[in-house]
């Protein structure tokens, strides 16, 4: 049975598509001879293995389960194109391939992509022939290069500490799409909660003569907008009023028609491109009316203070590593988090599958989007991270669940940012770049410490100590208790702000803490502190959360972490998503009273 059959791009759905997941031919190229020997030829005999795409060869789910270094790998499979696609353009899509990919169709090179976190595609129409087609993908993933965005993928073979098994090659869905030469090539929704309007930007490809674009916007089945735009240029922008002077649609009395974790209201959109009365392109999409900003030391969601209760989510699975075994597994993680009393997550050192963001939109779940970091700094590393972030925002802009971007974490990739002006400029550049591409979200410059310019002062502090370390715990409460205490603290012996920068009144959130180690079953590993039974686990969680909720300066948190991962056993759930205690017990603690404003 083929895995991961769901539509892979939920924000822009077309009916004519074909999933290419499943069994592919596969080969390691440890001697780097594949290109010279032309393994991209259809009759190549080099492919001596099979792999279950989209799972990396390191995973059990792939059918190979080899965690050792293989920096060059090749994929091959055959496919056929439906007859009724004959007069359309055929696009080959890759959800993500780590790290560099060269793609061939029927022995002809069609394109190259660098970057392991985001999607890319190629128009392969001109390379298609009659009958069966062959796609070959060469992948390079330099296992020990510390200047590429690696995240938690360890550059040493054996997992250790906070570093895990690598993901090489195809790790998200591969698929085909058929489109008419006249089609929408870009679609962006920008909600304006203050005006009650949705801004729609769209770009068209093809001959625009006689082109019209029809919009049909609905809310819970009720028609709200139906409009036709006569198109004269490739780029177009329109705004549609949704609240229409109706107070209960606004957030004045309650959430109204706005999107929140408690009421994840979404508008369905059907967009049709017409030419002389004939349908050329048809898209199903959706959006949410959501505003995020900061004011007076607090985060505001739709113009009201909103206390974020986040959980650190690394997005790893025992069978698939970075690739969820099923779409239901992505949904399940959100459902479990909400049952634990969290209203969102910080997706840590990973650009998650768009299907996760779809479920976050649908279920009501805040997401802080992050990208894998490089361990070391160089000019190449800075350029690579910049490129990935441009593609991340292009892909995920329309998801209302995403409320913040985290381009840097704990000075990874900028180890000398405390006093190194070049690395400080990189932090500032990422902050301003992201704001130049997306004005609708918050940006955290360096989550954890040594912050530069930032929209949130995001602090990491694991110094709560074990239950019997009362002096350490009292110091922890003191450090978190007041604005002055937080800013003067040095968790991990690092200053909260880099030299030359200071707190400018932005909200302060404790965005990593906790990490209670609790061994369940045969698991072994480590946590920041440890307990040996369920009762102590719940009691220790309460003890830590009481310190957080007693603070007069914190306006939200992100607890470490949702699940165990490999040798880390500091999750609220085991690696295979089994609760370590009753979910309701954690929810009751998370639901304890705390100041709603500061």
């Amino acid at each position: 049975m083929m895995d991961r059959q769901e539509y892979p791009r939920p924000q822009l759905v077309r009916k004519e598509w074909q999933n290419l997941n499943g069994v592919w031919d596969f080969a390691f190229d440890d001697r780097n001879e594949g290109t010279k020997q032309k393994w991209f030829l259809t009759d190549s005999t080099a492919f001596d293995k099979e792999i279950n795409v989209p799972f990396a060869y390191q995973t059990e789910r792939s059918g190979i389960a080899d965690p050792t270094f293989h920096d060059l790998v090749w994929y091959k499979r055959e496919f056929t194109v439906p007859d009724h696609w004959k007069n359309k353009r055929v696009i080959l899509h890759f959800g993500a391939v780590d790290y560099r990919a060269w793609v061939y169709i029927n022995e002809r090179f069609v394109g190259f992509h660098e970057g392991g976190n985001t999607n890319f595609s190629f128009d392969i129409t001109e390379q298609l022939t009659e009958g069966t087609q062959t796609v070959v993908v060469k992948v390079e993933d330099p296992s020990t290069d510390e200047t590429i965005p690696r995240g938690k993928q360890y550059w040493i073979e054996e997992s250790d500490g906070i570093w895990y098994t690598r993901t090489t090659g195809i790790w998200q869905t591969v698929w085909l799409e058929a489109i008419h030469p006249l089609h929408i090539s870009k679609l962006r929704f920008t909600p304006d909660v203050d005006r009650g309007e949705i801004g729609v930007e769209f770009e068209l490809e093809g001959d625009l003569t006689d082109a019209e674009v029809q919009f049909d916007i609905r809310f819970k089945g009720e028609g709200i907008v139906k409009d036709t735009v006569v198109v004269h240029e490739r780029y177009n922008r329109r705004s549609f009023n949704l609240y229409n002077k109706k107070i209960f649609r606004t957030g004045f009395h309650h959430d109204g028609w706005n999107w929140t974790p408690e009421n994840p209201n979404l508008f369905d959109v059907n967009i049709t491109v017409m030419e002389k009365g004939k349908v050329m392109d048809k898209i199903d999409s959706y959006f949410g009316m959501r505003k995020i900003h900061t004011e007076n030391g607090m985060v505001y969601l739709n113009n009201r203070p909103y206390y974020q209760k986040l959980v650190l989510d690394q997005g790893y699975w025992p069978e698939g590593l970075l690739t969820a075994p099923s779409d239901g597994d992505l949904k399940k993680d959100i459902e479990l988090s909400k049952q634990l009393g969290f209203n969102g997550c910080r997706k840590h050192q990973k650009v998650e599958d768009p299907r996760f963001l779809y479920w976050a939109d649908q279920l009501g779940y805040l997401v802080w989007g992050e990208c894998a970091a490089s361990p070391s700094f160089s000019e190449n590393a800075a350029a690579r991270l910049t490129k990935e972030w441009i593609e991340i925002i292009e892909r995920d802009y329309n998801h209302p669940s995403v409320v913040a971007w985290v381009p840097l974490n704990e000075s990874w990739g900028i180890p000398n940012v405390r006093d190194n002006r070049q690395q400080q400029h990189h932090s500032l550049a990422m902050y301003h770049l992201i704001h130049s591409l997306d004005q609708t979200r918050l940006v955290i410059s360096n989550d954890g410490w040594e912050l530069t310019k930032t929209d949130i002062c995001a602090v990491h502090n694991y110094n709560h100590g074990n239950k019997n370390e009362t002096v350490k715990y009292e110091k922890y409460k003191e450090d978190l208790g007041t604005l002055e205490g937080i800013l003067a603290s040095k968790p991990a012996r690092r200053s909260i702000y880099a030299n030359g920068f200071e707190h400018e009144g932005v909200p302060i959130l404790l965005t990593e803490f906790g990490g209670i180690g609790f061994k369940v079953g045969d698991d072994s590993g480590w946590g920041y502190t440890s307990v040996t039974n369920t009762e102590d686990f719940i009691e220790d969680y309460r003890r830590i959360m009481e310190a957080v909720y007693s603070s007069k300066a914190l306006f939200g948190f992100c607890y470490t972490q949702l699940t165990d991962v490999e040798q880390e056993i500091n999750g609220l759930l085991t690696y295979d998503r089994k609760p370590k205690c009753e979910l309701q017990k954690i929810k009751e603690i998370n639901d304890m009273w705390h100041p709603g404003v500061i």
Side-chain angles (χ1 to χ4, degrees), residues 47 79 426 502 558:
F47 295 86
F79 64 94
H426 178 52
E502 61 183 9
C558 179

Side-chain angles (χ1 to χ4, degrees), residues 62-331:
S62 73
I64 297 175
D66 180 351
T68 60
F69 287 168
H70 297 284
D71 289 8
L72 286 166
V73 299
W74 290 71
Y75 297 78
K76 181 171 76 170
R77 73 157 285 169
E78 294 180 343
F79 64 94
T80 56
V81 175
D83 290 340
H84 62 276
W85 286 13
K86 282 290 173 65
N87 296 319
K88 297 193 173 183
R89 309 302 297 179
V90 178
I91 312 299
L92 174 62
H93 292 273
F94 293 85
V97 180
D98 198 348
Y99 173 70
R100 299 184 181 100
W102 292 259
V103 180
Y104 302 81
I105 296 291
N106 297 326
E107 305 183 348
R108 297 169 64 186
F109 176 68
V110 294
F112 167 79
H113 181 264
E114 178 175 330
N117 296 284
T118 53
N119 62 304
F120 58 97
S121 61
F122 303 111
D123 186 332
I124 62 171
T125 311
E126 307 307 326
Q127 285 76 35
L128 297 177
T129 60
E130 293 294 324
T132 301
Q133 321 294 328
T134 303
V135 55
V136 174
V137 184
K138 171 189 172 182
V139 176
E140 180 187 26
D141 185 26
S143 299
T144 61
D145 187 341
E146 296 182 33
T147 64
I148 64 175
R150 312 189 61 82
K152 291 301 192 81
Q153 301 183 54
Y154 206 13
W155 50 97
I156 297 172
E157 276 200 348
E158 291 287 327
S159 296
D160 186 50
I162 61 172
W163 314 107
Y164 316 136
T165 306
R166 292 152 303 285
T167 289
T168 293
I170 298 170
W171 66 278
Q172 288 184 29
T173 293
V174 186
W175 56 293
L176 296 170
E177 178 181 40
I179 55 176
H180 191 274
L182 175 60
H183 63 274
I184 287 179
S185 58
K186 183 174 180 178
L187 179 64
R188 178 177 275 210
F189 297 111
T190 304
D192 186 338
V193 167
D194 297 331
R195 296 172 63 90
E197 296 178 350
I198 186 68
V200 185
E201 295 173 272
F202 61 97
E203 295 182 15
L204 292 170
E205 294 285 349
D207 183 359
L208 303 184
T209 309
D210 301 317
E212 295 181 348
V213 179
Q214 298 177 353
F215 290 89
D216 186 353
I217 301 176
R218 296 178 173 272
F219 182 73
K220 296 183 178 179
E222 177 187 352
I224 307 300
V225 171
K226 205 159 192 176
D227 199 8
T228 299
V229 178
V230 178
V231 175
H232 299 288
E233 298 187 60
R234 184 178 174 220
Y235 170 81
N236 297 268
R237 189 186 194 285
R238 291 293 185 275
S239 288
F240 300 114
N241 184 275
L242 303 174
Y243 297 166
N244 201 23
K245 300 186 185 298
K246 296 184 185 297
I247 196 66
F248 285 155
R249 295 184 182 182
T250 75
F252 184 75
H253 290 288
H254 40 65
D255 287 341
W257 284 8
N258 293 333
W259 185 96
T260 67
E262 296 72 29
N263 291 293
N265 294 314
L266 295 171
F267 292 78
D268 295 312
V269 188
N270 304 118
I271 304 174
T272 307
V273 180
M274 305 289 294
E275 183 182 64
K276 295 181 179 178
K278 186 177 179 181
V279 174
M280 298 291 105
D281 193 17
K282 195 171 182 62
I283 288 169
D284 294 327
S285 189
Y286 66 89
F287 64 84
M289 294 295 288
R290 191 267 300 127
K291 175 184 178 183
I292 194 88
H293 80 284
T294 64
E295 188 178 318
N296 297 325
M298 296 179 291
V299 178
Y300 280 66
L301 179 65
N302 302 331
N303 294 322
R304 291 187 178 181
Y306 194 89
Y307 193 98
Q308 295 180 77
K309 301 179 181 182
L310 311 178
V311 64
L312 197 75
D313 181 357
Q314 313 226 36
Y316 275 76
W317 285 266
E319 297 173 66
L321 296 177
L322 289 179
T323 308
S326 73
D327 188 49
D329 288 302
L330 294 167
K331 181 183 181 184

Side-chain angles (χ1 to χ4, degrees), residues 294-300 306-310 368 442 444 447-449 451 454-461 479-489 491 496-497 502-513 548 551-558 595 597-598:
T294 64
E295 188 178 318
N296 297 325
M298 296 179 291
V299 178
Y300 280 66
Y306 194 89
Y307 193 98
Q308 295 180 77
K309 301 179 181 182
L310 311 178
W368 286 24
L442 307 178
I444 295 88
D447 206 294
W449 44 67
L451 292 145
T454 187
D455 296 334
I456 287 177
C457 177
V459 177
H460 297 180
N461 191 331
D479 284 350
L480 297 181
T482 63
L483 172 68
E484 295 75 19
I486 292 172
L487 296 178
S489 68
I496 301 302
Y497 280 87
E502 61 183 9
H503 185 245
E504 298 179 332
V506 299
I508 302 176
L509 276 71
L510 185 65
T511 52
E512 279 192 38
F513 70 105
V548 174
S551 172
K552 295 180 173 61
L554 291 174
F555 197 67
F557 62 81
C558 179
V597 295
I598 59 172

Side-chain angles (χ1 to χ4, degrees), residues 30-46:
D30 295 337
R31 297 168 64 180
N32 192 16
E33 58 192 11
T35 302
K36 184 177 180 180
Q37 295 181 2
K38 300 183 179 179
W39 291 7
F40 53 83
L41 298 181
T42 55
D43 61 356
S44 172
T45 59

